[in-house]
Amino acid sequence: MDDRGPRARRIPRWLLVFAAICAAISTGIALGVIGLGSDGSSRGSAPGASPSPPVQAADLPAGQEKHTDPRNEAIARLLERRATAVRTHDRAAYLATIDPAAKAFHDAQAAAFDNAAQIPFASWDYELVAADAFTLPEQRLATFAGATVFAAQVDLTYRIEGFDSAPVRSPQYLTFVLRDGAWLIAADTDGTDSGMRGAVQVWDLGPVTVLRGDSGIVLGVGDGTDLRSYQKDMDTAVPDVHKVWGGVWAGKAVVIVPANQEQMARLLGAEPQQYARIAAVTTGERGADVDAAAADRVIVNPDAFRELGAVERRVVMTHEITHVASRAFTRNWTPTWLSEGFADYVGYLNSGQTIRSAAPELRRDVREGRVPRTLPADEQFETTQEALPQAYEMGWLACRMIAERWGQEKLVEFYRAVGEAPPPGVGQPDQKSRLTSAFVSVLRISPADFTTQWAAYVQAQVK
């Protein structure tokens, strides 16, 4: 959707529906020590922390400048050893970066390292971003028995080989302790009370099975018994999306399959019930360039997916991967009715579903005299809205009407025109002005006339 926060679509009568968290959420890999940031590309300090420049150490890759702070330089060397251990699959070296006194943390990290063994990382690096990023309570400090302790925000950047064209950046909040003259990592949860909560990653939940294909990669918790079906859905959806959107995207997807709905909610930092009727979500950064958009993740709810038939699964997966493809042209000012309506349009295309079966709530409203007169506002897509299904259905029919009356190519052109980046030095456009410009330049119609035609189209189609 957009960066105004997670939203979700509820279940119509025939289909468990889907959501796209198109906020600036980045699903980074951290072997249990990643924080979930508010911007996948952010290099800023943690909330409440004093900004601190990124730190490079003498033994970091050539060309990086050495930092003059001895403590930060030592931390940077520790993080480089840790990154090297991941890149070289050296379990002992990885665990050697952890405080031996932190047994529970050590065991959790060991398990996560083993769980992630099959994941093909093309790159893995750390960057010290903010020193003294949070304050440890006195009670927690007492557990270190007077040892020197250091809290920091550290960003991890990584790529999955063959599928991420640009690195994912994700912050984490770590506690370091000085033992016998050497810095070690003691915890990744001490920042929680300060609002700096580390994210749960898929390998924190159990061993990860990996299925790779031409259209993407599936990362699933467990033995992978049913992962083939997700790979099949992905392999079908990617070409379908490509036929509509064209070649201006990576053409590959990363699909994450937790074991159950509870695990899905943990990955998203939410309560399980929040996603009880959601089949899948897409995470990504709005407006990321074409290459960076490849770092999007589709996270499915296996409990909900199991209730779907083959056609419905295809619709859901195609909807989500449409968000991946269109990410570079989905901006803060892109209206939700357009981003979700377009994804629905591609998802339903050639599915055999009729308007009557796919828009039951809107059809009921129209038959009872509640005919929409305006396109749904962004607020109507909030999960708390009772008429949330109708909002999705209205957005879908708006995009469907454009494709029918102006052509599918014009629908894609319209979407891109709305999401086109402003020229250098020009501020962010507002939604109304950008929509007006796209309506006039692409469709040769005023927003008011379009809305009038759409309202009549809805009424005629859902009867």
Side-chain angles (χ1 to χ4, degrees), residues 9 336-338 340-342 344 358-359 361-363 365-366 370-377 380-381 387-401 450 454-455 457-458 462:
R9 183 177 177 183
T336 306
W337 69 259
L338 179 59
E340 293 302 320
F342 180 71
D344 269 355
E361 291 86 358
L362 186 57
R363 182 174 182 236
D365 283 359
V366 171
R370 296 187 297 276
V371 181
R373 299 301 178 191
T374 60
L375 289 161
Q380 291 176 250
F381 290 85
L388 180 61
Q390 290 92 321
Y392 274 85
E393 292 160 5
M394 286 188 282
W396 169 49
L397 290 180
C399 291
R400 192 176 189 272
M401 187 183 81
F450 176 86
W454 164 80
Y457 177 83
V458 169
V462 303

Side-chain angles (χ1 to χ4, degrees), residues 8-11 15-19 260-262 264-265 268 270-281 300-308 383:
R9 183 177 177 183
R10 296 180 298 180
I11 309 174
L15 172 64
L16 283 161
V17 291
F18 26 81
N260 50 47
Q261 177 184 304
E262 181 181 357
M264 178 205 191
L268 295 169
E271 294 297 324
Q273 192 57 33
Q274 182 177 345
Y275 292 96
R277 305 178 71 190
I278 303 302
V281 302
V300 304
N301 178 353
D303 292 350
F305 241 77
R306 293 187 189 104
E307 298 184 35
L308 302 178
T383 56

Side-chain angles (χ1 to χ4, degrees), residues 30-35 78-79 82 97-106 108-109 134 136 140 143-144 149-154 172-177 179 183-192 196 198:
L31 299 180
V33 295
I34 277 296
L78 168 68
L79 293 172
R82 184 177 176 85
T97 65
I98 299 171
D99 179 14
K103 188 178 186 306
F105 179 60
H106 177 280
Q109 290 285 284
F134 55 93
L136 276 67
R140 173 60 172 147
T143 64
F144 291 98
V149 179
F150 172 56
Q153 176 190 338
V154 172
Q172 55 190 271
Y173 307 99
L174 305 182
T175 302
F176 299 87
V177 60
R179 304 284 192 192
W183 286 102
L184 299 167
I185 303 172
D188 65 340
T189 58
D190 288 332
T192 301
M196 302 171 196

Side-chain angles (χ1 to χ4, degrees), residues 8-317:
R9 183 177 177 183
R10 296 180 298 180
I11 309 174
R13 294 174 186 174
W14 73 280
L15 172 64
L16 283 161
V17 291
F18 26 81
I21 303 179
C22 303
I25 296 178
S26 183
T27 54
I29 298 176
L31 299 180
V33 295
I34 277 296
L36 188 62
S38 62
D39 186 327
S41 64
S42 172
R43 292 173 177 261
S45 60
S50 299
S52 177
V55 175
Q56 291 84 27
D59 58 353
L60 291 182
Q64 292 189 358
E65 181 182 358
K66 181 178 178 180
H67 198 276
T68 57
D69 186 312
R71 179 194 63 182
N72 291 354
E73 185 178 317
I75 293 292
R77 286 195 296 268
L78 168 68
L79 293 172
E80 177 57 19
R81 291 196 301 273
R82 184 177 176 85
T84 299
V86 174
R87 294 193 296 262
T88 59
H89 308 284
D90 190 336
R91 186 177 190 269
Y94 182 80
L95 296 179
T97 65
I98 299 171
D99 179 14
K103 188 178 186 306
F105 179 60
H106 177 280
D107 292 347
Q109 290 285 284
F113 188 93
D114 295 340
N115 291 343
Q118 290 190 37
I119 301 173
F121 298 117
S123 66
W124 183 289
D125 294 285
Y126 295 102
E127 182 179 304
L128 179 56
V129 173
D132 303 314
F134 55 93
T135 301
L136 276 67
E138 290 297 328
Q139 184 176 3
R140 173 60 172 147
L141 285 172
T143 64
F144 291 98
T148 302
V149 179
F150 172 56
Q153 176 190 338
V154 172
D155 279 7
L156 168 73
T157 61
Y158 77 93
R159 290 184 299 113
I160 294 180
E161 185 178 18
F163 301 99
D164 288 336
S165 301
V168 174
R169 175 175 290 269
S170 187
Q172 55 190 271
Y173 307 99
L174 305 182
T175 302
F176 299 87
V177 60
L178 190 62
R179 304 284 192 192
D180 299 324
W183 286 102
L184 299 167
I185 303 172
D188 65 340
T189 58
D190 288 332
T192 301
D193 290 341
S194 301
M196 302 171 196
R197 183 184 300 275
V200 175
Q201 302 301 319
V202 64
W203 31 88
D204 294 319
L205 306 174
V208 177
T209 299
V210 177
L211 294 182
R212 303 179 66 168
D214 293 336
S215 297
I217 186 170
V218 179
L219 310 179
V221 177
D223 60 10
T225 303
D226 63 346
L227 292 187
R228 292 292 177 189
S229 62
Y230 293 102
Q231 184 182 34
K232 180 180 178 181
D233 295 332
M234 177 182 67
D235 288 341
T236 300
V238 167
D240 286 349
V241 172
H242 183 79
K243 289 176 185 177
V244 178
W245 185 252
V248 289
W249 68 296
K252 297 179 181 179
V254 178
V255 177
I256 297 177
V257 186
N260 50 47
Q261 177 184 304
E262 181 181 357
Q263 287 193 353
M264 178 205 191
R266 290 181 63 193
L267 288 172
L268 295 169
E271 294 297 324
Q273 192 57 33
Q274 182 177 345
Y275 292 96
R277 305 178 71 190
I278 303 302
V281 302
T282 301
T283 67
E285 181 187 353
R286 278 198 161 213
D289 62 34
V290 173
D291 288 337
D296 284 4
R297 302 289 185 257
V298 175
I299 303 177
V300 304
N301 178 353
D303 292 350
F305 241 77
R306 293 187 189 104
E307 298 184 35
L308 302 178
V311 173
E312 289 81 10
R313 290 175 63 109
R314 177 175 176 175
V315 170
V316 170
M317 189 65 75

